[in-house]
Amino acid sequence: MPLIRRATAALLLVAAVAVAGCERAPVPAVAPTPTQPAQAVEQLIEDLRRNDFVAFARHSVPPALHARLDQAWNEGRTRWPLTELPLDDRLPAFITALAAPGAEKQLLTTYNRQFSGAGAELRSAASTLGLFATQYLHKEGDYSADERAHYAQLVAALSRWGQKAPLGDPQRARRAIPQLVAAARQTGLAGGDDTFRQLGMQRSLERFGPFFGRFKQVLQTYGLDVDADLASAKATLIEEDGDRARVRLNYTLAGQKIEAQLAVERHDGHWYLSDALRHAETEAAAPAPTPTAAPPTR
């Protein structure tokens, strides 16, 4: 059921955006270096609110680790920081499918045949997806205790939104699909993993940013205003002990109140999310992908 998978990706992308919080405020020409743990969280979210994944990558990890990740990207060993987005392994194929010739007609035909007017079925799917995702978070995956507690709240909020959202409305689909198709084509990222590798980290992230922004605009037409939810967020310091600290994050997602605690740590005077550093280190050390065997010649 490709549309449901894509809808799931959209919902979970929003969850990734909401990992921290942000204040809606004028963006200075040169962002000041955060000197407090909560400020570092806010800076990351400001990067995401502006769809600036280049800045997000630069602010997420120390320079030496960023360089290792850049090299791993060029070698095809990682797609960090896109790996922080759920369903990241399908993202290149998703963009390629949207950018394909005739994608608008094909996707609208598929939508009209399988999902147009199927509000009850889609609401049931949103509920089921929420249950499965919650069970997975409790038992599987490389998540810290803080991440499991936070993401479980995100999944519950997005599942409730999905049960109310007009996902079966054909008029909205006729407006949304062409927007996503146009945004995907403008990225120049069609072609799968090889395109991402050839362009390199910075150029790929620069091109992905506008697509992410259009995705948020489409979600708003379905009643999910990501930027408004981000603007509701408040990050406050819980405790600080040397180069370690904990930050409390409060915000609203899809009408549901979320409260999370984030561990942060200081390296060379800069604060970083501890879980983000752990994931980035794993990505930087990722092995080279296994070459795909060529089909036998006849």
Side-chain angles (χ1 to χ4, degrees):
M1 302 179 75
L3 190 63
I4 286 185
R5 287 199 296 270
R6 294 186 182 105
T8 305
L11 303 186
L12 295 179
L13 278 171
V14 178
V17 177
V19 166
C22 79
E23 302 283 346
R24 187 181 297 272
V27 180
V30 178
T33 300
T35 58
Q36 301 297 326
Q39 292 175 344
V41 173
E42 291 171 353
Q43 183 179 60
L44 290 174
I45 295 307
E46 179 63 19
D47 294 336
L48 289 175
R49 191 185 68 83
R50 294 185 293 112
N51 312 313
D52 190 345
F53 279 81
V54 174
F56 178 81
R58 187 171 64 252
H59 296 147
S60 293
V61 294
L65 179 53
H66 186 279
R68 289 170 54 206
L69 289 159
D70 185 64
Q71 179 179 352
W73 181 297
N74 293 334
E75 294 172 356
R77 295 188 288 111
T78 185
R79 291 294 169 261
W80 180 93
L82 300 181
T83 51
E84 295 300 291
L85 301 178
L87 302 184
D88 64 281
D89 57 327
R90 297 181 182 177
L91 185 58
F94 179 37
I95 292 178
T96 298
L98 283 171
E104 300 100 324
K105 182 177 180 181
Q106 180 180 350
L107 291 171
L108 285 169
T109 298
T110 300
Y111 178 88
N112 289 330
R113 182 174 63 248
Q114 299 185 14
F115 306 110
S116 179
E121 290 85 349
L122 290 169
R123 286 191 293 273
S124 177
S127 176
T128 301
L129 287 168
L131 291 174
F132 279 126
T134 299
Q135 292 174 0
Y136 178 86
L137 286 169
H138 282 314
K139 300 178 181 178
E140 307 292 341
D142 181 24
Y143 302 111
S144 68
D146 287 341
E147 288 176 309
R148 292 184 194 278
H150 187 189
Y151 296 166
Q153 296 178 72
L154 299 182
V155 167
L158 293 171
S159 177
R160 283 192 288 269
W161 167 75
Q163 294 173 55
K164 298 177 181 179
L167 301 177
D169 182 350
Q171 293 184 356
R172 283 183 172 83
R174 283 194 290 269
R175 293 191 297 267
I177 289 175
Q179 290 185 57
L180 293 177
V181 167
R185 289 173 177 163
Q186 290 170 2
T187 66
L189 293 173
D193 282 322
D194 284 343
T195 300
F196 282 75
R197 178 182 57 78
Q198 292 167 6
L199 288 172
M201 179 193 290
Q202 179 163 327
R203 291 174 64 194
S204 295
L205 295 179
E206 287 173 350
R207 296 185 180 198
F208 178 72
F211 177 79
F212 185 73
R214 181 57 60 92
F215 222 132
K216 290 194 291 185
Q217 292 175 10
V218 168
L219 287 173
Q220 187 174 1
T221 69
Y222 285 88
L224 187 58
D225 191 336
V226 177
D227 285 330
D229 285 336
L230 292 175
S232 72
K234 301 292 182 184
T236 55
L237 181 67
I238 299 174
E239 60 183 7
E240 183 176 347
D241 184 7
D243 290 332
R244 300 277 177 171
R246 291 186 67 77
V247 171
R248 176 177 291 106
L249 181 67
N250 293 94
Y251 62 98
T252 300
L253 177 63
Q256 303 296 316
K257 292 183 178 181
I258 309 292
E259 180 176 317
Q261 293 190 17
L262 309 174
V264 294
E265 56 193 76
R266 182 164 47 195
H267 296 267
D268 297 325
H270 298 270
W271 291 95
Y272 303 96
L273 290 170
S274 298
D275 285 323
L277 288 177
R278 178 170 55 86
H279 295 312
E281 285 284 358
T282 300
E283 292 295 323
T290 303
T292 303
T297 57
R298 293 183 181 272

